[in-house]
Amino acid sequence: MSINKDQVEGRVKEAAGKMQEAAGKAVGNTKQEIKGAVNKTAGSAQAKYGDVKSDLKDADRKADKH
């Protein structure tokens, strides 16, 4: 399985969003909490997109071998 840019960037954004969301909760800042949740979701979606790209690329390589 290969790793691509979308997988890495997505997981970094997801982690940053989780931290932002937790920080917003800790200080009672709803706006930061919501921004964190949005960033977490966007990062997760980007990572999943990267996962699908990787899976398709791997499947294509496997098909070429046969």
Side-chain angles (χ1 to χ4, degrees), residues 7-51:
Q7 289 172 307
V8 174
E9 287 181 4
R11 291 200 170 78
V12 168
K13 286 179 187 176
E14 184 178 8
K18 284 180 183 180
M19 289 189 296
Q20 186 178 18
E21 184 179 18
K25 277 183 184 177
V27 298
N29 187 333
T30 306
K31 188 174 181 180
Q32 285 302 320
E33 190 177 339
I34 292 169
K35 282 183 180 181
V38 168
N39 289 334
K40 179 176 71 172
T41 302
S44 178
Q46 183 177 4
K48 285 182 178 139
Y49 170 72
D51 291 343

